[in-house]
Amino acid sequence: DPNVPSGCITWKTLNWPGLGGSYVPVKVQVRGDTTDPHGFSWITGSLSLASKDQIVLSKLFTGTFHKQNKEENELTKKLELVEGIWYSDDFYGPHGREWVKVSATMVGHTLSALVAVKITGDPNVPSGCITWKTLNWPGLGGSYVPVKVQVRGDTTDPHGFSWITGSLSLASKDQIVLSKLFTGTFHKQNKEENELTKKLELVEGIWYSDDFYGPHGREWVKVSATMVGHTLSALVAVKITGDPNVPSG
């Protein structure tokens, strides 16, 4: 909303709420003057995980958050249709097959566009960079929507990136067709057959250690794949729980 836009933290607890347990402290981000980009501040409240699908939050007033049933969630279905790992054998020309991660993104205050970030890259647009982004949401089997594609001619110029306009169609549930100076097709990788996905699923997730952190005891980390050069070939672990030496996050 105008006070706290999408993509901003709205609240954060100071510790973990137990299921059906007592309230824990929470900080809620607010802003009174919607024209002031630096006008954000935090107020203190309390939060309870009242049930497995209900959070109750109190600050100046009380509100309830409900966890959406995945099977009934149209937004989830919309996201699952397009989000994930895709590849193209022809869009990137002589660079051959490249992999991208497609995610939903915001236009204004609504989830109504797509952005593709390179998993594998090339000298023109390396991995980790946005390769294309739509200006609105493509309907399944529908007409083309505008898309911006990131390009770079001089691979030695770190500031040489620019955007060209094209069009994109979600031709089927596993095929995206993108046209700019030429046409290319992206294919959604079948999860069961995707070696890259299998590689990620083997290591990505929540891990814990009872002995690595010494007297601090059990600590939890989130392990994710990361890039070395142009390949997905390393791991990074971020603390979920922390200690005075290296805090969470």
Side-chain angles (χ1 to χ4, degrees):
D1 56 65
N3 297 88
V4 181
S6 60
C8 294
I9 295 174
T10 178
W11 53 260
K12 55 184 180 181
T13 65
L14 304 188
N15 48 289
W16 194 271
L19 179 60
S22 58
Y23 281 84
V24 298
V26 66
K27 288 187 176 292
V28 180
Q29 188 164 211
V30 296
R31 181 172 65 158
D33 182 357
T34 59
T35 65
D36 182 3
H38 306 292
F40 296 96
S41 60
W42 297 89
I43 61 174
T44 302
S46 56
L47 178 146
S48 171
L49 181 57
S51 68
K52 65 180 182 179
D53 55 7
Q54 190 177 78
I55 288 173
V56 178
L57 195 151
S58 299
K59 50 180 184 70
L60 301 177
F61 53 87
T62 298
T64 304
F65 288 81
H66 306 274
K67 190 172 186 179
Q68 185 62 59
N69 182 305
K70 187 175 181 180
E71 285 67 34
E72 299 173 356
N73 186 359
E74 290 303 318
L75 176 59
T76 299
K77 292 179 183 178
K78 181 178 178 181
L79 297 181
E80 288 180 342
L81 182 64
V82 292
E83 288 195 320
I85 296 173
W86 297 67
Y87 70 90
S88 178
D89 288 324
D90 54 5
F91 186 71
Y92 298 104
H95 301 300
R97 177 173 293 189
E98 294 197 25
W99 297 81
V100 303
K101 183 177 182 180
V102 176
S103 304
T105 188
M106 312 300 297
V107 174
H109 298 151
T110 59
L111 198 68
S112 56
L114 300 177
V115 61
V117 174
K118 283 194 174 186
I119 296 174
T120 54
D122 55 64
N124 297 90
V125 181
S127 60
C129 294
I130 294 174
T131 177
W132 51 260
K133 55 186 179 181
T134 67
L135 303 187
N136 46 289
W137 194 274
L140 179 61
S143 57
Y144 281 84
V145 298
V147 66
K148 289 187 176 292
V149 181
Q150 186 163 212
V151 297
R152 182 172 63 157
D154 183 356
T155 59
T156 65
D157 182 3
H159 306 293
F161 296 96
S162 61
W163 297 89
I164 62 175
T165 301
S167 55
L168 178 147
S169 171
L170 182 58
S172 67
K173 64 181 182 179
D174 55 7
Q175 190 177 83
I176 287 173
V177 178
L178 197 152
S179 299
K180 54 177 182 72
L181 300 178
F182 53 89
T183 298
T185 303
F186 287 80
H187 306 274
K188 191 170 188 180
Q189 186 60 62
N190 183 302
K191 188 175 181 181
E192 286 67 32
E193 300 172 355
N194 184 0
E195 291 304 317
L196 178 59
T197 299
K198 290 178 182 178
K199 181 178 176 181
L200 298 181
E201 288 181 341
L202 181 65
V203 292
E204 288 195 322
I206 308 298
W207 296 70
Y208 70 88
S209 176
D210 288 325
D211 54 7
F212 185 74
Y213 299 104
H216 301 299
R218 176 173 293 187
E219 294 198 26
W220 296 80
V221 301
K222 182 178 180 182
V223 175
S224 304
T226 188
M227 311 301 296
V228 175
H230 297 154
T231 59
L232 197 69
S233 56
L235 299 177
V236 61
V238 176
K239 282 194 172 185
I240 297 172
T241 55
D243 55 64
N245 298 92
V246 181
S248 61

